[in-house]
Amino acid sequence: MPIACVIGWSSQGPAQAQNLRESLEGSGIRVKVGLREGSSSMKEAAAVGFTKENGTLGEMYDVIRESDMSLLLISDAAFAENYKKIFAAFRPGTTLGVSHGFLLSHLQAEGEDFPKNINVIAVCPKGMGPSVRRLYEQGREVNGAGINASFAVQQDVNRVRDAQCKAATERYKKAIESRRVYKESKAGDKEYLSESDADAYREVARKDVLDRCGKVPTFDVNAPIPEPKPIPDPKVNPADATSE
């Protein structure tokens, strides 16, 4: 089950956690809250239904590790002190969300950046947490009620990963469906690989698909072979080997 979590329980935390939970009800996405172990805010979170017993409250780093999206709604001081440890808890391909720009500004001042293997977004309500919650609740009865917000995407690694997966899959498909594999020189001449070298190329292409996509698709090798179009090899690059 996908997990979206809210880290922190000050102004924005209670509002965004409850709003998310209600908006995502029935979607199959579980909303959790992550706090420091022993935080006095755990009682406040439990009072509105986020509890360890029902699996929706936990220690912040543990919650980040298991979540697909983590909204970091902690104080600026906590960001400055703990951002390296926070980043280390994110799994590749998951999403880090913030509600203001302090973390980005702090990283720029330190000459650092977000980890390159996660998505980074911002959803910044134009109001304090209590207003975010009050106007959300008002929206149950007043159509369109809510609060203005700014949105931003700092990093979209999943889009890049998907594009790389597609390119690797197309190259592998051409390699296994084709009779011959060749290298193409800058002058456009074709140098055909030996059978053993072609098999080695196909195997490296297969492993590249597995690394980039998490699985290797099955293709109909008896399907008609299309007219070959040489493509660059983003992984192996054996002199831009391709197939026909």
Side-chain angles (χ1 to χ4, degrees):
M1 175 184 294
I3 297 174
C5 78
V6 169
I7 304 300
W9 198 264
S10 52
S11 175
Q12 291 290 338
Q16 294 198 34
Q18 292 177 85
N19 291 1
L20 271 176
R21 180 177 59 188
E22 293 172 23
S23 294
L24 295 175
E25 185 176 0
S27 68
I29 300 174
R30 183 154 52 107
V31 177
K32 299 189 66 170
V33 170
L35 301 171
R36 289 179 294 104
E37 194 62 57
S39 168
S40 59
S41 296
M42 284 193 168
K43 291 183 179 179
E44 297 177 18
V48 294
F50 293 100
T51 69
K52 291 184 176 180
E53 289 73 22
N54 66 17
T56 59
L57 178 64
E59 191 276 329
M60 60 180 287
Y61 295 107
D62 290 340
V63 172
I64 292 173
R65 290 185 190 99
E66 66 175 337
S67 294
D68 300 281
M69 180 180 72
S70 299
L71 302 181
L72 305 181
L73 306 179
I74 59 179
S75 69
D76 294 351
F79 269 136
E81 183 178 350
N82 300 295
Y83 71 90
K84 292 183 179 180
K85 188 176 179 180
I86 290 172
F87 289 167
F90 278 82
R91 291 179 287 109
T94 56
T95 298
L96 180 159
V98 294
S99 281
H100 60 68
F102 171 81
L103 181 55
L104 175 60
S105 298
H106 180 72
L107 291 174
Q108 291 173 338
E110 295 293 317
E112 299 192 48
D113 202 352
F114 293 101
K116 294 302 182 182
N117 61 351
I118 63 173
N119 304 296
V120 181
I121 63 171
V123 180
C124 308
K126 301 300 184 180
M128 300 294 287
S131 296
V132 173
R133 181 60 179 165
R134 177 175 53 80
L135 291 173
Y136 179 91
E137 291 179 310
Q138 181 180 319
R140 296 194 187 106
E141 299 178 359
V142 180
N143 186 32
I147 195 165
N148 295 334
S150 297
F151 300 85
V153 177
Q154 177 73 10
Q155 288 184 179
D156 186 357
V157 299
N158 286 345
R159 178 174 56 83
V160 174
R161 182 190 62 189
D162 290 346
Q164 292 174 341
C165 171
K166 181 178 180 180
T169 300
E170 287 298 317
R171 184 184 66 257
Y172 175 61
K173 182 175 186 290
K174 284 173 65 68
I176 66 172
E177 288 182 346
S178 301
R179 291 178 291 269
R180 296 178 295 173
V181 176
Y182 65 88
K183 300 176 183 177
E184 187 171 287
S185 69
K186 292 182 178 179
D189 299 325
K190 296 179 181 179
E191 177 188 343
Y192 290 95
L193 303 184
S194 67
E195 188 64 30
S196 60
D197 286 344
D199 286 345
Y201 169 73
R202 293 183 181 105
E203 176 59 19
V204 175
R206 186 192 70 82
K207 290 180 178 178
D208 192 28
V209 171
L210 183 61
D211 288 343
R212 295 182 186 277
C213 308
K215 62 180 180 180
V216 179
T218 301
F219 300 111
D220 180 6
V221 296
N222 294 316
I225 300 173
E227 184 67 21
K229 293 182 179 179
I231 57 174
D233 188 322
K235 170 70 174 180
V236 188
N237 195 24
D240 288 333
T242 185
S243 54
E244 67 176 13

